[in-house]
Amino acid sequence: MPATVLIVEDEPFLILNMICVFEDAGFTVFDAPNAKEAFRIMDEHREQIDLLVTDIRLGPGQDGWDLAVTWRELFHDLPIIFVSGDSAGEWEQRRISNSVMLQKPVWGRDVLEAAHNAIQK
């Protein structure tokens, strides 16, 4: 059975690119443009999701750090991949278990490698 990923990104081009990368690699994909929609998907599809890939800055409202806190409550130690242009230093300070930070711009193959490594742990 293929792994299922929730991708949260507020930039339309970037989210479309990530969806294509993951679908082409055989993943089932849920996507959200903001934290509010991501929380809805997390609640409705709790049993299906294997991995969270999220930006940190998601526009108005809650951010990727907020998603990570809720993710840990619902999914315990399932992996998180943060993809951000400006939050690497914060990630090191927050010490979120079973997570990695990829700095934007990021290549699709790098995100997939991180996803496969995270899921196989």
Side-chain angles (χ1 to χ4, degrees):
M1 187 162 113
T4 300
V5 60
L6 170 57
I7 302 169
V8 187
E9 171 62 63
D10 63 330
E11 295 292 329
F13 175 77
L14 294 178
I15 199 165
L16 287 174
N17 183 48
M18 291 258 253
I19 290 167
C20 289
V21 164
F22 277 94
E23 286 180 344
D24 288 350
F27 284 77
T28 300
V29 176
F30 292 108
D31 63 277
N34 55 50
K36 182 178 180 180
E37 179 67 11
F39 289 133
R40 184 192 65 74
I41 292 168
M42 288 161 69
D43 188 51
E44 288 182 15
H45 301 281
R46 187 176 306 192
E47 300 301 317
Q48 296 171 268
I49 303 172
D50 302 302
L51 171 68
L52 173 64
V53 177
T54 186
D55 190 5
I56 301 298
R57 310 286 177 238
L58 298 170
Q62 295 175 302
D63 63 16
W65 302 126
D66 299 318
L67 281 175
V69 169
T70 300
W71 181 264
R72 282 290 165 256
E73 291 170 3
L74 294 174
F75 301 97
H76 306 289
D77 209 36
L78 284 179
I80 302 170
I81 299 173
F82 294 104
V83 181
S84 183
D86 64 358
S87 300
E90 283 182 73
W91 174 76
E92 291 171 5
Q93 293 171 356
R94 290 177 183 263
R95 300 178 192 256
I96 297 168
S97 66
N98 200 15
S99 72
V100 296
M101 171 65 76
L102 299 178
Q103 189 77 29
K104 287 180 181 176
V106 63
W107 293 95
R109 68 176 177 265
D110 296 331
V111 176
L112 282 178
E113 181 180 336
H116 287 297
N117 290 339
I119 290 170
Q120 291 176 359
K121 283 186 177 179

